[in-house]
Amino acid sequence: MSVHTGITRSSVQRNHALIAPESHVMATFPDWHQAEVITLISAHLGAHFTQYMVQFLPQGGHGPAAGRNTERFLLVLEGSVRIEAEEGQHDLAVDGYAYFPPGHHHRIIASGRARILCFEKHFEPIVGLETSAHGLRKIVSNMNDVPGEAFLGDPDAILKHLLPDEPGWDMALNTFQFAPGGTLPQVEVHVMEHGLYVLEGQGVYRLGDNWYPVQKGDTIWMAPYLPQWFVASGKHPTRYIYYKDMNRDPALRIHP
């Protein structure tokens, strides 16, 4: 029997958190069948969105659509899943992703072992404008098919926008890929909140006045106005996906 030392890289603070894989705890949710769920970021932490991981068992399983007023983004990390939606079905392999606007009926099915990462939030409408008029629509794609751009002209930091950057949308999911030694160009301090998952590689993240070594499989929550900065290390590129809220006046935001 192994003896645990009580040491972990995980850290939960007032305005940020690092959740390392060694701290994951599986749970079962009533509507997710033959699947185990790890809630990584939630309102219990102080966040205004939810980030969670679903591990389907080897015999396969299935899960439901999000709540009526909730929008969902999912990314396939391992295996494959089938999406059954009103307009037909879609098969997603690793790096495949889908976005569903609020109230969009769908079902997620895995025929074998698979792992998906989900981001959900309550949609914040613009007062006086119906949800359908915001231009929200189902999106099914693959990260490898999305063109990247050098962030602020830096070829060592490639940014991809996985969702439309349009006024009606109140959430963004982007990826950053850094060459070894690549960095964010400044210590950022802003009103947007972040949820981040490291897809590959390693580096060091500054969160407030703390510096954390991070690697593949790590989750980071960043509250608004948290000073943040990243540098990639190691011999291979580092890539992460991150959520942020957007396109809403903070003084007029509507919370559920």
Side-chain angles (χ1 to χ4, degrees), residues 4 11 71 74 87 93 99 121 129-131 150 160-161 166 193 202 221 223 231 240:
H4 198 283
S11 178
E71 50 191 329
L74 70 87
E87 306 85 358
Y99 167 84
K121 75 180 295 290
L129 190 64
E130 294 294 330
T131 300
K160 291 187 177 185
H161 298 276
E166 299 171 1
E193 183 180 21
Q202 62 188 53
W221 169 62
V231 58
Y240 59 68

Side-chain angles (χ1 to χ4, degrees), residues 35-242:
E36 297 174 318
V37 181
I38 304 167
T39 303
L40 299 166
I41 300 173
S42 73
H44 294 82
L45 195 61
H48 293 93
F49 70 100
T50 303
Q51 180 177 330
Y52 63 95
M53 189 183 303
V54 180
Q55 176 76 58
F56 291 100
L57 302 182
Q59 60 267 41
H62 59 88
R68 183 170 59 90
N69 297 318
T70 302
E71 50 191 329
R72 169 187 283 166
F73 176 99
L74 70 87
L75 171 68
V76 180
L77 299 176
E78 177 185 346
S80 62
V81 300
R82 172 165 292 180
I83 306 294
E84 292 185 350
E86 299 167 355
E87 306 85 358
Q89 63 185 30
H90 307 272
D91 293 318
L92 298 180
V94 173
D95 286 345
Y97 67 89
Y99 167 84
F100 301 99
H104 190 287
H105 178 71
H106 63 279
R107 191 163 176 254
I108 304 167
I109 302 171
S111 58
R113 180 178 291 279
R115 188 161 50 96
I116 63 174
L117 181 68
C118 295
F119 299 83
E120 295 180 359
K121 75 180 295 290
H122 286 277
F123 177 66
E124 300 179 63
I126 297 174
V127 176
L129 190 64
E130 294 294 330
T131 300
S132 59
H134 287 256
L136 301 181
R137 57 193 180 275
K138 182 188 73 175
I139 292 178
V140 179
S141 188
N142 189 288
M143 293 196 297
N144 297 312
D145 297 330
V146 177
E149 59 186 65
F151 185 58
L152 299 180
D154 183 357
D156 289 335
I158 302 299
L159 177 67
K160 291 187 177 185
H161 298 276
L162 305 183
L163 297 179
D165 185 9
E166 299 171 1
W169 295 66
D170 69 341
M171 69 183 291
L173 268 298
N174 302 331
T175 64
F176 256 127
Q177 179 165 309
F178 294 90
T183 72
L184 287 174
Q186 67 189 90
V187 177
E188 297 183 356
V189 179
H190 51 62
V191 70
M192 286 89 74
E193 183 180 21
H194 284 324
L196 182 152
Y197 183 82
V198 182
L199 296 167
E200 58 184 330
Q202 62 188 53
V204 175
Y205 233 108
R206 175 185 174 176
L207 303 173
D209 294 328
N210 299 288
W211 301 75
Y212 297 94
V214 298
Q215 61 190 36
K216 179 180 179 179
D218 286 350
T219 296
I220 298 175
W221 169 62
M222 298 177 237
Y225 296 108
L226 174 75
Q228 55 194 255
W229 181 80
F230 177 74
V231 58
S233 60
K235 298 182 178 180
H236 304 285
T238 297
R239 181 171 59 121
Y240 59 68
I241 183 170
Y242 68 99

